[in-house]
Amino acid sequence: MESVVRKAVIPAAGLGTRFLPATKAVPKEMLPIVDMPAIQYVIDEAVESGIRDVLLVTSRGKSSVEDHFDIAYELEDFLSRRGKEELLEKVRGSSRQVSLASIRQKEPLGLGHAVSTARGLINDDEFFAVLLGDDIYDSPVPATRQLIDAHQKSKKSVVSLIEVPEEDTKKYGIVSGMWRDDGLFEIDRLVEKPPEGTAPTRLAIVGRYLLPGRVFGLIENTPPGHGGEIQLTDALQRLAEDEGLVGVVCKGVRHDAGDKLGWLRANIAYALKREELKEPLLEFMQEILESNP
Ligand code: UTP
């Protein structure tokens, strides 16, 4: 039987220190990629993957994230009376197709802790998706859909993986294990931000997970790990040992919009996909390249 995944948790409660001072008053998830906040790309991906219930995990100072997905009557009425249908569609966005709820993580105690705020909304045997609010996938098949497909193939929990340069392994959760015949990676060990030169592979866990409700119990029994935070990676190690965990390298391009360079790259990549921006942007980049040989 096809397992149906309808619920997603989107953690967006981090402090965004890599983006200070911009993130002092503006959540990093609200920084635009061209003209859409990063988190809207994430919600669009969830909707296109079949998700119908989303729990946004926010924190103090992040109410603009909730506002963004609320109905803006006055604005919509204004645009409608002016006949600006195209803009109206953009303002409404895909979030109308999901039921959105939000919860506050009162202290930034780590990603594991943020995910565990969904406990009580998900049954032990039910699989749910986790999409990090500042990680964007530009892919023909939505990344979360690719994780759901991997889950249907393997019947296991799934994380998305990317291959990173050796010198970057210290910034990620890194996995070890074995490639399976079906192209998935069977994970046996996870290590959060390994010190330079100690990473077992260059395969890093990034922004998308498909997990069973049972994981909440594992998170609860996870002591604070790297950086004193409750790391999801530590609970995933238990999950891998108890019932297996696979990784999938999603087809497409992943952008870390919570990182300055990642955000700039995402803006350029998405702008180049826009008919009206492509030519002038390329001309500008050409000028820059010529004046910075
Ligand atoms: P990050 O490490 O990218 O977020 O966490 P951060 O802590 O905001 O980033 P910097 O390093 O200070 O710039 C990955 C994801 O987990 C969420 C973040 O919002 C981000 O989506 N997160 C992290 C929480 O929701 N709560 C936390 O306590 C920590």
Side-chain angles (χ1 to χ4, degrees), residues 240-262:
E241 286 162 15
D242 293 355
E243 50 191 83
L245 174 68
V246 295
V248 58
V249 179
C250 289
K251 293 192 177 69
V253 183
R254 175 247 177 194
H255 300 286
D256 180 1
D259 167 79
K260 284 186 275 277
L261 185 59

Side-chain angles (χ1 to χ4, degrees), residues 83-95:
K84 298 196 181 289
E85 294 303 323
E86 213 177 305
L87 256 185
L88 189 59
E89 270 318 297
K90 282 190 185 162
V91 164
R92 285 182 173 151
S94 64
S95 55

Side-chain angles (χ1 to χ4, degrees), residues 11-18 28-29 105 108-111 114 132-134 258:
L15 293 174
T17 55
R18 280 170 296 162
K28 63 176 169 178
E29 296 79 11
Q105 185 192 18
L109 296 179
L111 178 58
L132 299 193
D134 55 353

Side-chain angles (χ1 to χ4, degrees), residues 149 198-199 219 237 275 288:
D149 292 344
T198 66
I219 295 172
Q237 176 66 49
E275 210 49 56
I288 290 186

Side-chain angles (χ1 to χ4, degrees), residues 91-207:
V91 164
R92 285 182 173 151
S94 64
S95 55
R96 297 271 164 106
Q97 295 164 44
V98 283
S99 144
L100 265 164
S102 70
I103 191 163
R104 284 202 174 191
Q105 185 192 18
K106 294 191 179 63
E107 279 180 88
L109 296 179
L111 178 58
H113 181 258
V115 170
S116 70
T117 59
R119 191 174 198 167
L121 300 176
I122 293 157
N123 302 323
D124 274 3
D125 291 332
E126 189 180 4
F127 276 80
F128 67 102
V130 177
L131 294 83
L132 299 193
D134 55 353
D135 245 29
I136 295 174
Y137 265 99
D138 185 9
S139 50
V141 176
T144 297
R145 183 71 244 172
Q146 295 186 50
L147 264 72
I148 295 172
D149 292 344
H151 167 64
Q152 284 168 353
K153 239 192 304 189
S154 65
K155 305 285 173 247
K156 294 186 178 174
S157 299
V158 189
V159 296
S160 69
L161 300 174
I162 57 166
E163 202 168 311
V164 297
E166 179 69 43
E167 64 272 21
D168 286 349
T169 50
K170 58 180 179 295
K171 301 181 196 160
Y172 294 89
I174 301 289
V175 298
S176 67
M178 258 176 77
W179 289 104
R180 300 167 25 134
D181 292 343
D182 59 7
L184 300 176
F185 189 78
E186 190 82 40
I187 296 170
D188 60 21
R189 201 160 67 86
L190 302 91
V191 34
E192 185 62 30
K193 302 192 173 73
E196 187 119 37
T198 66
T201 66
R202 293 195 289 118
L203 290 171
I205 305 175
V206 284

